[in-house]
Amino acid sequence: MDILLKNVRLNDGESLKDVAIEDGRITAIEENMTAIAERVIDADGRVLIPGFIESHLHLDKALIADRKPNNSGTLKEAISVTAELKPTFTKEDIYDRAKRTLDMIIPNGVTAIRTHSEFDPAQGFTGFEIVLKLKEEYKNLVDIQVVAFPQEGIIKSPGTEEMMNQAMEMGADVVGGIPYNDSDAEKHIDIVFKIAKKYNKPVDIHAEFSDEATDMSIEYLCKKTIAEGYQGKVSVGHLTALHALPKAELDPIIAKMAEAGISVMALTATDLHLGARNDEYNVRRAVTPIRKLRDGGVNMCIATNNIRNAFTPYGNGDILQTAMLTIPVGHLGGANDLKTVLPMITENPAKAIGLVDYGIAVGNKADVVLLDTKIKGNAIIDIPTRLFVIKNGKVTVESTKETIIHR
Ligand SMILES: [Zn+2]
């Protein structure tokens, strides 16, 4: 075999296991294996988890916060600042920034990414082509799904629908959408589904990014998803406006979302930065109601969205930091809640983005991360060093860190 991981902890309270990896797959999980392997790694009781998943990211506009500040911190200024910068982006610039972003993310144990890659008639496919190129270049380190993302709208930006079809022909994996940034949200959703059905691809929508629950299209999206037989193939990012709804109005929407099998990506870092900017006191958290959605049977995920731009001027590419931030914000720190957070950056997004053979089980893909912690329940709150990242059955990252306390 290629790799034998000795003495890993898969679950708290269970005996330690050995995990065998060969030809990119997990071939055995047993106690005290004695097989010969090219590489033997003794985990000494440390936690092994499946690779983290960044289920909502923007590689093409990362690392530009230092170019022009968003002084008000509002979504409006974030959009206008970015629109001013976009014409200055060259292929080389986007390639360099996206690559640096991937190199920040991968050592932190991410083995799959869904990135929204935008285009419009003014900018053409400059960034989109670069992201497709990087998908190929990085395929041994991380699986990248590319979302064809019409950031400037479809109806109010003539020519975009044609470009979306072209983007699908060029190799996009997912049809994106942003109904709140278009002149007719329902028509926008209809166009997204028309393209998704034509190319038999899933849908991923930027939805209800607002402090107030007005002009929402989420109920229409649920209806459309069910009518088109797209249950389980639709995801939404943000969905912050739902936070503003009282229980009597929120519960039926959550029930409809669960019925439609719509997954949700909470984009905590961005939503906290841009949300509730008009609240002078009693400032709201402006993040989607994670616990209520989870308890209502909605597949909940946490993702990073942006790294260092006008939408999110911070971030170091570590999804564990994003998850940690979400714990207090989402009231997820209690013992029963805490254990639901790790799946929000592993199993849940794997389901949301349709990964197959994901997870630590015999026959599955060997995409795993060895954490420098011995308690799985602490996998996030320790923010442990990612000691080994294994992708497609190969060690892609090794970390060593020695800290000495001089008493
Ligand atoms: Zn986004």
Side-chain angles (χ1 to χ4, degrees), residues 56-58 61 116 149 151 180 206 237-238 267 270 305-306:
H56 185 125
L57 195 73
H58 294 264
K61 56 185 178 197
H116 294 254
F149 179 43
Q151 167 79 68
Y180 65 77
H206 282 66
H238 295 297
L267 308 175
T270 304
N305 193 32
N306 283 298

Side-chain angles (χ1 to χ4, degrees), residues 10-24:
L10 298 180
N11 289 299
D12 294 337
E14 285 180 16
S15 57
L16 302 181
K17 300 284 191 313
D18 297 347
V19 175
I21 292 169
E22 199 170 349
D23 292 334

